[in-house]
Amino acid sequence: MSASPGTSSDHQTDAADLARFGYKQELRRGLGLFSTWAVAFSYISPSTGIFTLFALGLTTLGGVFIWTWPVVALGQFIIALNFAEVTSHYPVAGSVSQWTKYLANRTYSWFNGWVYLFAGILTVTAVVATLPLALIPALNGLGWHSLGQGSSTTLLHTQLVIALITLVVITVLNIYGVRLVALINNTGVVFEILGMFVFALVLLAFHNHQGIKIVTNSGGIPVNGSTFLAAMFMSLFVIYGFDTAATLSEETRDPRRAAPKAVLYSVIGAFIIGGVFLLGTLVAIPGNLHSAMTANGGLGLGPAQIIQANFSSGFATLYLFVVCAAIFVCCLSIMPATIRLCFGMSRDNRLPISKPLARVSPTLHTPVWTCITIAVLAAVPFLQYSGAPIIAIAATAMIYFSYFLGNTAILFARLRGWPKTAAPFRLGRWGLLVNVLGLLYGGAMLINFAWPRAASNPTPKQTALALDFHIGFLNGIPILWTVFIVLAVIGALYYLITGQRKEFAPVVAPAPDDPLPATGPAPQVGT
C-alpha cells in the first residue's frame, strides 16, 4: 500500500473511531500498511544497528556472536505479539505511554511515558551519530580523504558535525509532514532491503574468506553465559522500535488492523534481512579472525572496513552509500515516532510547556514546536560526545525498561480481566502466557544492560576516548546508571513539584476496557 490518501468514508470512519477516545483528527491520516510497516522497519534498520555495534559483538565473542541475533529476535517477537494486541485496542499516538494510560494509574503511566520519551530522544542522537560511520568512508571513496584523516579526536569532531547536520535536516523534513517522510522512507526501505540483501549475497558467494564455520569460531574467547550476554548488545540495539507502527496509529488508515500487522512484520523483516547481512559481513572478514578482532587498537573491524577490503573502490563506495541511505531513513523514522510520543503526552497536559508542544500547524498538520524541541534535546548529548556506541548503550537500555514497564501494566490489566472486548488482532487464551514470557525475557535483558562491564556498560574512565563528566565520582560510575538516575531524578522532581497537581486530560476509552480512575476532571481533549 502507498501513502496516498484513502476514501472520504474511510477517513470519516477512522476519525470517528479516534473521537471515541476523546481526540479529534488533527494529524494527517494518509499512511497505509506498507508505509506504516516501512517506518517501523526503518526504525529497527538492521544496517544502522549493525554499523554501530558490529565491532563490539565481534570483539566480545568472535563469529559466535551471530547466534545472539535469533535469540533477541525471538524475545522481541514475543513482546511484539503482546504489543500488537494492545495496539488493536488503543490506536492512538504514543504507543507504550498511551497504553499504560489506559491500563494503569496516573503516576505509573506518567513515569513510563517520561522514560520512553527520553529513550526515544537518546535513540535519535545515537542514530544520527551512526550515519558518519558509513558516510565518511563513502566520501573518502569519492576522493574526500581529508575527512578520515587526523587523530581520533579530529575524526570524532568530523562525526559530530555530520551528526548535527543530519539532525537539522531530519527535523526540517519532519516539520513538513509525515507524508513527505513516508515517501522518502518507502523509497529508502526498498533500497535498504535490496541493497543489504543483494550485497550480502554477493559477499557470501564471491568474498567468502572465512567459510560458514566462522559462526562457531569465537576467536579464542570462552563461550559461556557471561560472554554471550555481553555479545548480545548489537542485536539488542537493532531489534527494537517495532512499536513505531503503533505510535503512528493516528496517521494510519484502518489502524486497528494495519498497525498490529506492521508491528509484527517489521520484526520478521528485520530478522531475515539483518541475519543475511550479518552472515555475509562475517564470512567476508579478510585475513584471520583474531586479527580482525584486535584491529583498530583492539576495537575490532567495522562493516565499512570489511566492505572496503572486499570490493573495488567504486563498488565499496556504492555499497556504503546504500547503507548511508538506510541509516538516514532510520533517522527519519525514529524522529517522528519520538515526536508523536511527545505530542501525545503534551496533548494530555502531561509534560512541561504542554500547550505549545500540543499545537498542530493548521497548514502543515504537524506539531512544529514538538519537532524543534525533540531536536534540541537530541543535541544535548553531543556536549559530551564520545562516539555513537556510548549513546546507544543508554538509549537501548531505557527503551527496554519502558517496554518492561509497559508489559507489566498489561499483565496486571490481564489479571483484572482485560481485554473484555474483542479487537481485530487478539491473542485469546495465549495472551497471559505471551505476556509472562515477554516479562521474563525483558527482565533478564534489563539485568544484562545494568551489569557493570567495560564492553557494554563502562564507566567514563573505561571508554575509548575517556569520556569526562567533570564531576569526579561520576567518572567512576557505569554510564547507564548515571543517565538513568539523572533522568529519573529530574522526572521525579518535576512530577512531585508540578506534574501531580496538573489537570491531565481525562482518560476516555470507548469500551468496557476502561482503566483505573486515574485522572481528575478536565475538559475533553480536542473539543
Side-chain angles (χ1 to χ4, degrees), residues 104-115:
N105 62 45
R106 169 184 173 132
T107 302
Y108 188 96
S109 171
W110 183 88
F111 182 72
N112 189 29
W114 179 263
V115 171

Side-chain angles (χ1 to χ4, degrees), residues 44 65 87 130 195 237 258 470 478 489:
I44 297 173
F65 95 92
T87 300
T130 298
F237 179 60
H470 302 291
V489 168

Side-chain angles (χ1 to χ4, degrees), residues 24-240:
K24 69 179 181 180
Q25 186 73 53
E26 294 183 281
L27 302 174
R28 179 170 289 153
R29 193 180 290 276
L31 302 181
L33 174 59
F34 178 79
S35 295
T36 306
W37 170 83
V39 173
F41 178 84
S42 296
Y43 193 123
I44 297 173
S45 186
S47 56
T48 303
I50 291 171
F51 259 73
T52 307
L53 294 178
F54 177 88
L56 186 151
L58 184 67
T59 55
T60 305
L61 204 56
V64 176
F65 95 92
I66 194 173
W67 294 105
T68 67
W69 187 255
V71 172
V72 171
L74 177 60
Q76 293 296 78
F77 187 74
I78 291 171
I79 292 175
L81 281 170
N82 203 37
F83 284 0
E85 182 171 36
V86 186
T87 300
S88 197
H89 281 272
Y90 306 113
V92 289
S95 75
V96 177
S97 171
Q98 285 284 12
W99 302 334
T100 50
K101 183 185 78 174
Y102 290 105
L103 300 174
N105 62 45
R106 169 184 173 132
T107 302
Y108 188 96
S109 171
W110 183 88
F111 182 72
N112 189 29
W114 179 263
V115 171
Y116 192 49
L117 175 62
F118 281 94
I121 291 169
L122 285 171
T123 302
V124 172
T125 311
V127 176
V128 297
T130 298
L131 182 60
L133 303 183
L135 184 59
I136 291 174
L139 293 175
N140 287 340
L142 295 180
W144 295 13
H145 299 294
S146 59
L147 289 176
Q149 294 178 350
S151 65
S152 57
T153 303
T154 302
L155 180 59
L156 200 69
H157 176 73
T158 304
Q159 293 175 0
L160 175 59
V161 171
I162 293 174
L164 288 172
I165 292 172
T166 305
L167 183 59
V168 171
V169 172
I170 64 172
T171 301
V172 172
L173 288 173
N174 273 282
I175 286 174
Y176 276 92
V178 71
R179 288 187 63 195
L180 174 60
V181 171
L183 178 62
I184 298 172
N185 184 76
N186 291 353
T187 306
V189 163
V190 172
F191 278 105
E192 176 172 10
I193 293 173
L194 292 177
M196 288 183 66
F197 196 77
V198 171
F199 273 103
L201 292 179
V202 171
L203 287 173
L204 283 166
F206 302 107
H207 301 276
N208 190 339
H209 305 300
Q210 301 294 328
I212 197 67
K213 64 182 184 297
I214 193 174
V215 301
T216 61
N217 186 352
S218 67
I221 296 175
V223 181
N224 53 44
S226 177
T227 55
F228 192 84
L229 287 170
M232 292 179 78
F233 275 82
M234 188 216 73
S235 301
L236 290 168
F237 179 60
V238 177
I239 309 178
Y240 72 79

